[in-house]
Amino acid sequence: MVSPTTSEVHPTMGVKIFSAGISACLADIITFPLDTAKVRLQIQGEGQTSTTIRYKGVLGTITTLAKTEGLPKLYSGLPAGIQRQISFASLRIGLYDTVQEYFSSGKETPPTLGNRISAGLLTGGVAVFIGQPTEVVKVRLQAQSHLHGIKPRYTGTYNAYRIIATTESFSTLWKGTTPNLMRNVIINCTELVTYDLMKGALVNNQILADDVPCHLLSALVAGFCTTFLASPADVVKTRFINSLPGQYPSVPSCAMTMLTKEGPTAFFKGFVPSFLRLASWNVIMFVCFEQLKKELMKSRQTVDCTT
C-alpha cells in the first residue's frame, strides 16, 4: 500500500500475509466485545418476546451482557473469530498489494483506482469463500443466549462446527455466503482502497510522513466509510446466518422481512458498535501491519547481511 521508497526493501508476499494474519488476530482479540455487542443489536427485534432483554447502545449492551450472562460471554466465539482472521484477513489484506501489482504489471504509472478496486474484489471474494464456516460459527456463538431457561445450541466452537454439519448439513457452514460476499466485497474495496488512497494522499502531499500518525488517520477514515456502506449487508448477513432452518427462504426474503416489519432503520442496527469496532480494529490492524512488515524486512536484511 503506497510504493516503498528506494531505500526500503519491498515486503515479500509471505511477509505481507503473515503480518496481516498476526495483526488481524491481535485487533480481533482487543475489539471482540464490540463485535459481540454489534451482533446482539443486529438480531434485536427478531422473534422478540416480552421477557426478552432489550439492549440500548454500545456500552449498555456490553454492560447488560456482562451482568446477565457473565464477562466470558463477551468473548463467546473468539476461537472461531481467530480462525476467521487467520483464514480470511491474512488473505484479503496480505494479498491485496500483490494482486494490485499484478493488475498494474507492465505499466510505469501508479495503480489506477480500477486496479485497486479489482484487487479488493478478487482478494475479498476468495477470502470470504475460504473463511465462511468460521464466520457462521462465530456469529451463532455470539448470538446464542442461555437466559430464560434457553438451552444453548452449542457448547463451544468445535461442537458448533460438528452440530451444524451433522444436524443441518455440511453446506450450512457456508450459509449466508451471498450477503457475506456482498458485505466483504464492499468492506474490502472500501477499507483497503480508502486506506490506500488516504495514506497516499497524506504521504505524497507531504502532510504526514509514512508512519504511525499517518496510518492511524488513514485507518479511521477507512473505518467510517466502510461501516456506512457495508452496514445493510452486514445486518442481513447476521440475521440470515443466525436464523433457524426455514425461517427465511432466501437472502432477499430476509431483507424484505426486515424492511416490512422493522423499517429501513433496521439495516443500520448496531451501526455505532459496528463503527467503533471497525474503526478501532482498523487502527490496531493497520498500524501493527505496517510496523510488523517493516520490522520483519529489517530482520531479513540483517540476516542477509550477516550471511
Side-chain angles (χ1 to χ4, degrees), residues 2-131:
V2 180
S3 301
T5 61
T6 53
S7 61
E8 293 177 327
V9 178
H10 201 297
T12 63
M13 183 172 70
V15 165
K16 292 173 187 174
I17 292 173
F18 178 79
S19 300
I22 295 295
S23 303
C25 287
L26 177 62
D28 223 42
I29 291 168
I30 295 172
T31 64
F32 205 79
L34 288 169
D35 193 45
T36 302
K38 178 201 76 171
V39 169
R40 287 298 182 98
L41 284 167
Q42 286 178 336
I43 64 171
Q44 185 163 263
E46 185 179 49
Q48 197 101 34
T49 65
S50 58
T51 57
T52 303
I53 289 177
R54 289 197 62 84
Y55 304 111
K56 294 182 180 180
V58 189
L59 293 177
T61 302
I62 291 174
T63 304
T64 302
L65 272 171
K67 285 181 179 177
T68 58
E69 300 184 50
L71 279 171
K73 188 61 189 177
L74 294 171
Y75 282 90
S76 181
L78 180 61
I82 296 299
Q83 292 165 8
R84 178 177 180 269
Q85 299 306 338
I86 292 170
S87 61
F88 175 70
S90 60
L91 295 179
R92 77 175 182 89
I93 297 167
L95 290 176
Y96 173 75
D97 280 344
T98 304
V99 174
Q100 182 184 199
E101 288 162 11
Y102 172 78
F103 284 127
S104 308
S105 60
K107 301 174 184 176
E108 296 181 2
T109 56
T112 64
L113 180 61
N115 294 145
R116 292 184 169 105
I117 292 174
S118 297
L121 286 170
L122 184 58
T123 57
V126 171
V128 165
F129 185 77
I130 293 172

Side-chain angles (χ1 to χ4, degrees), residues 99-214:
V99 174
Q100 182 184 199
E101 288 162 11
Y102 172 78
F103 284 127
S104 308
S105 60
K107 301 174 184 176
E108 296 181 2
T109 56
T112 64
L113 180 61
N115 294 145
R116 292 184 169 105
I117 292 174
S118 297
L121 286 170
L122 184 58
T123 57
V126 171
V128 165
F129 185 77
I130 293 172
Q132 185 63 17
T134 62
E135 175 77 8
V136 171
V137 169
K138 179 183 80 72
V139 167
R140 291 206 179 179
L141 286 171
Q142 288 176 309
Q144 74 175 4
S145 173
H146 60 259
L147 297 179
H148 310 300
I150 301 171
K151 184 180 178 181
R153 285 195 277 179
Y154 318 109
T155 57
T157 304
Y158 295 103
N159 173 260
Y161 282 118
R162 183 179 61 81
I163 289 179
I164 291 169
T166 55
T167 62
E168 295 181 53
S169 70
F170 186 72
S171 62
T172 303
L173 289 169
W174 276 267
K175 184 177 183 179
T177 299
T178 300
N180 201 28
L181 184 64
M182 290 168 57
R183 171 188 178 266
N184 279 290
V185 160
I186 294 169
I187 284 180
N188 214 43
C189 288
T190 309
E191 181 183 76
L192 295 178
V193 173
T194 303
Y195 177 83
D196 208 4
L197 292 172
M198 188 71 186
K199 179 184 166 185
L202 292 171
V203 172
N204 295 334
N205 292 308
Q206 299 182 335
I207 299 170
L208 288 172
D210 187 3
D211 211 340
V212 175
C214 173

Side-chain angles (χ1 to χ4, degrees), residues 190-259:
T190 309
E191 181 183 76
L192 295 178
V193 173
T194 303
Y195 177 83
D196 208 4
L197 292 172
M198 188 71 186
K199 179 184 166 185
L202 292 171
V203 172
N204 295 334
N205 292 308
Q206 299 182 335
I207 299 170
L208 288 172
D210 187 3
D211 211 340
V212 175
C214 173
H215 304 156
L216 194 151
L217 180 58
S218 301
L220 280 173
V221 173
F224 178 79
C225 294
T226 303
T227 306
F228 182 77
L229 291 175
S231 186
D234 190 28
V235 177
V236 173
K237 176 218 66 171
T238 300
R239 290 284 185 96
F240 190 71
I241 286 175
N242 190 55
S243 64
L244 297 171
Q247 185 175 354
Y248 301 116
S250 62
V251 174
S253 168
C254 177
M256 284 304 298
T257 300
M258 286 173 57
L259 181 63

